[in-house]
Amino acid sequence: MTTTLDLADIQGGILRAYGRQGFPKARYFFLTIRDAARGRAFVEALRPKICTAARWKNPARGEPLQRTRNPRVKDIVRAEGVPDYPGEVQLMKPTVAINIAFTFYGLAALEVPTRTLRAMPDAFIDGMATRASILGDDPFLERRDAVWRQSQGATRVHLLVSMNAEMKPDGTPTDDLERETAMLQQLCADSHGGVVLLPGTGPDEALWQDMSAVMHDDPDGPKPSNKEHFGLSDGFGDPVFEGQLSPEAERLRVIGGGKLLPDRSWAPIATGEFLLGYPDEAQEIPDAAMPIEFSRNGTFMAYRKLHEDVAAFDAMIAEQGRGYAAQFGVPQDEAEDTVKAKLVGRWRDGVPLMAAPTYAAWRAFNAELTAAHQADDKPRLAQLALKFTDFTYRPDPAGSICPATSHLRRANPRDMLDPHFGSSDPGDGSALVNRRRILRRGLPYGRYDRAAPADHGDHGIIFLAICADLTRQFEFVQQQWMQYGLDFNAGSDTCPIIGNHPPEHDPKLVIIADAKAKGARPFVCQPLPQLVEPRGGDYFFIPSMTALRLIGMGIVDPT
């Protein structure tokens, strides 16, 4: 590790995936600023409550409540007492982690100097709605929540205040979430109209967006899982970058989470891909808004509310499962699980196809995992945990194991776009892909009753993409890899999960049969219904604690 970060200057939501840190509940607030001076006073009053990335030390509180069922490298690292983050500053672990972010118009409303604002990137200045055609959001603009449809003038979204909370044993958020909500409302009241909490979230136009991890039943009460409403496990393979972790934690988590080198080893990605003010993968420190203290240790975030059409997903899996079962002569449940895995690139519990290519191999993997848990065999558990992230696509150039156009392979192609991919040349690792990585944050929202399926409800995922360059990273992945298929030799076919699927385009996913099975024809998963619809969002700047103080005190000096 060659970079040392000032963790106390970085907002905690950048480095921490709160949902996996014992905060399975969340509440997001959208606010508008109607008076600059009172808006700055609001920021300055909230600033002391902002959660930073400084390491927590709170032995009295015990282990976080959240634990997923899957053995992940992070869980094993923490079980062995390896700290997540380096650094000397240690704070007591909060019950509610609060962070703040600003739209471009929010910074302007706070009277950040024009010379600072004009150095902001075009995508951030434009905002998400203006760039709907790039993102593929055009067909869904009228379905956005009211807070986004009405985001203009006196109702424009300027601020996002996020609160991630711990959970009580009965599955409800800690009471401190209500206390902090009241605190925020009081700050708005104290501004005397200078800062207003905007309604319009969800079909009931609530004052905030509630979120929660999907729960699973446990004898001791509900426990958070890493599932989303489609019933699929999520949250694997987040990027690992320089300075993010302690050397001990980095040594394990970089495997599959970092960048692939020509010698097939893994290394952390350059810090500048995710934090402003540091060298990126091109060994450059990109231009940033001045003064440098305003940009350094900050970053950008794409906030997206994604509705999941669960009934459509269930119906498609059942229909395609029947076709797959008939073609390959397997039971319906095996066929459905296989179709899901081929669409995503992982089995429904997160085991990658590259680690378990077949249904039988997946069952065997889980049997071995269960046995290792029962025997408390930590070395074996560590080996199995690595299989969730430690893989490449070099053994599968044709996509017969993991389809080349599956969601997983599109989101992070790993070595697949190496010019030497498929040859004996070791290539240059994943140099192209390293510049397209994003930190994924967020939680599911809403509830879905599988006993009474309906797609008109309010349920899905709040997806947060954090990166230093919205255009090169988030927008590129969304436009070129999710909403297009040429890089994967799939023409105009989009991502089978989050892509746009207009019927006139005849969307499909081709599942190639085992390459060793001569004469076996591929299975065409078709048609693909629309499974995910954006319900609103915007681009935000997440400033450092230093920048927050500059903003709150009104002393941003670009000279």
Side-chain angles (χ1 to χ4, degrees):
M1 184 172 63
T2 59
T3 302
T4 300
L5 300 181
D6 183 358
L7 299 178
D9 194 42
I10 302 168
Q11 291 203 51
I14 300 173
L15 269 64
R16 289 189 174 101
Y18 286 126
R20 298 196 295 272
Q21 295 272 336
F23 297 86
K25 304 289 181 177
R27 184 171 287 175
Y28 286 2
F29 306 82
F30 305 101
L31 306 97
T32 193
I33 300 166
R34 295 178 180 170
D35 181 88
R38 292 173 179 174
R40 292 193 294 271
F42 172 92
V43 171
E44 185 64 8
L46 186 63
R47 181 178 57 81
K49 299 187 74 68
I50 300 300
C51 182
T52 73
R55 188 154 57 93
W56 292 325
K57 183 179 182 181
N58 201 346
R61 299 185 59 83
E63 287 298 308
L65 288 172
Q66 169 133 7
R67 281 292 181 268
T68 65
R69 291 182 172 182
N70 290 320
R72 303 185 57 222
V73 174
K74 179 176 180 181
D75 295 327
I76 291 174
V77 167
R78 299 182 73 191
E80 293 177 352
V82 179
D84 276 342
Y85 309 112
E88 297 302 322
V89 177
Q90 296 186 6
L91 303 176
M92 297 299 284
K93 183 173 181 285
T95 57
V96 179
I98 301 176
N99 288 127
I100 188 171
F102 303 80
T103 63
F104 173 80
Y105 287 98
L107 295 176
L110 289 167
E111 296 181 345
V112 172
T114 301
R115 187 174 175 185
T116 297
L117 294 176
R118 73 185 183 189
M120 287 290 186
D122 291 346
F124 175 63
I125 295 173
D126 288 344
M128 187 175 288
T130 301
R131 301 172 78 85
S133 60
I134 294 174
L135 302 174
D137 290 355
D138 280 348
F140 311 102
L141 287 177
E142 293 305 313
R143 303 183 192 179
R144 294 177 297 166
D145 286 353
V147 71
W148 303 111
R149 293 197 312 272
Q150 300 166 8
S151 183
Q152 53 187 331
T155 58
R156 186 182 291 276
V157 174
H158 289 155
L159 293 176
L160 164 63
V161 175
S162 63
M163 296 184 184
N164 289 74
E166 290 187 339
M167 187 183 84
K168 294 191 293 187
D170 64 357
T172 60
T174 174
D175 293 338
D176 288 344
L177 180 59
E178 295 300 332
R179 175 176 57 80
E180 299 294 10
T181 297
M183 174 276 299
L184 185 69
Q185 292 176 306
Q186 186 60 50
L187 286 181
C188 290
D190 292 344
S191 75
H192 301 288
V195 179
V196 177
L197 182 59
L198 294 173
T201 299
D204 299 326
E205 301 200 4
L207 280 172
W208 50 73
Q209 176 67 62
D210 276 321
M211 289 161 284
S212 171
V214 174
M215 298 292 156
H216 67 80
D217 294 329
D218 187 273
D220 297 326
K223 293 293 186 293
S225 73
N226 63 349
K227 300 285 186 181
E228 40 71 64
H229 293 296
F230 289 151
L232 307 170
S233 295
D234 197 11
F236 300 91
D238 217 30
V240 172
F241 60 90
E242 292 181 358
Q244 179 186 12
L245 305 170
S246 68
E248 295 84 359
E250 180 186 284
R251 177 177 55 83
L252 290 177
R253 291 178 57 189
V254 74
I255 300 173
K259 59 186 176 184
L260 187 64
L261 302 178
D263 65 359
R264 321 311 293 173
S265 64
W266 299 92
I269 299 169
T271 308
E273 295 295 318
F274 308 102
L275 282 174
L276 301 175
Y278 299 86
D280 58 23
E281 280 294 320
Q283 298 303 303
E284 298 174 345
I285 299 180
D287 293 338
M290 299 300 288
I292 190 61
E293 292 83 1
F294 183 85
S295 297
R296 184 177 172 84
N297 287 329
T299 190
F300 295 98
M301 177 180 74
Y303 172 100
R304 288 172 73 74
K305 181 177 181 177
L306 302 176
H307 173 74
E308 292 182 296
D309 291 343
V310 186
F313 179 81
D314 288 348
M316 178 197 68
I317 293 299
E319 179 183 357
Q320 298 301 324
R322 286 189 290 271
Y324 189 94
Q327 180 169 323
F328 294 103
V330 298
Q332 179 72 13
D333 58 347
E334 176 179 340
E336 291 187 9
D337 275 325
T338 302
V339 170
K340 287 180 186 178
K342 295 291 186 176
L343 289 167
V344 179
R346 294 182 184 272
W347 297 94
R348 54 183 162 85
D349 60 357
V351 177
L353 282 167
M354 295 306 297
T358 65
Y359 183 81
W362 173 49
R363 296 291 297 272
F365 181 95
N366 281 325
E368 186 175 4
L369 183 59
T370 299
H373 273 299
Q374 293 174 345
D376 195 24
D377 186 347
K378 290 184 178 180
R380 185 55 184 153
L381 283 173
Q383 293 174 353
L384 293 173
L386 287 177
K387 291 184 180 294
F388 282 81
T389 56
D390 186 14
F391 60 89
T392 67
Y393 297 114
R394 179 171 287 263
D396 186 33
S400 60
I401 297 174
C402 179
T405 58
S406 63
H407 175 72
L408 180 68
R409 218 157 156 166
R410 286 173 179 266
N412 180 9
R414 296 180 182 242
D415 60 339
M416 190 174 72
L417 299 182
D418 186 323
H420 303 283
F421 182 71
S423 72
S424 58
D425 192 301
D428 58 356
S430 51
L432 172 64
V433 176
N434 297 340
R435 308 225 68 198
R436 315 295 179 192
R437 302 296 301 278
I438 58 176
L439 295 169
R440 297 178 301 138
R441 303 287 183 258
L443 280 170
Y445 70 91
R447 294 184 177 181
Y448 179 78
D449 184 4
R450 288 188 174 273
D455 281 342
H456 60 267
D458 189 45
H459 48 264
I461 293 178
I462 301 299
F463 175 75
L464 310 178
I466 295 175
C467 55
D469 190 321
L470 289 165
T471 301
R472 172 171 54 79
Q473 292 167 276
F474 168 71
E475 289 190 342
F476 182 95
V477 172
Q478 177 69 17
Q479 182 188 47
Q480 296 297 319
W481 290 350
M482 296 299 166
Q483 301 292 6
Y484 198 43
L486 196 58
D487 283 350
F488 310 100
N489 297 317
S492 60
D493 283 343
T494 63
C495 173
I497 300 295
I498 70 169
N500 290 353
H501 302 150
E504 62 271 20
H505 289 180
D506 200 22
K508 62 185 178 299
L509 174 77
V510 178
I511 299 176
I512 301 175
D514 187 348
K516 298 178 182 178
K518 295 182 179 180
R521 58 189 176 89
F523 177 78
V524 181
C525 188
Q526 184 182 42
L528 294 176
Q530 189 65 42
L531 299 176
V532 173
E533 300 177 2
R535 294 289 168 87
D538 210 339
Y539 292 147
F540 290 87
F541 173 61
I542 308 176
S544 67
M545 299 303 295
T546 298
L548 272 180
R549 187 169 182 83
L550 296 175
I551 293 169
M553 297 183 67
I555 56 173
V556 178
D557 181 3
T559 61

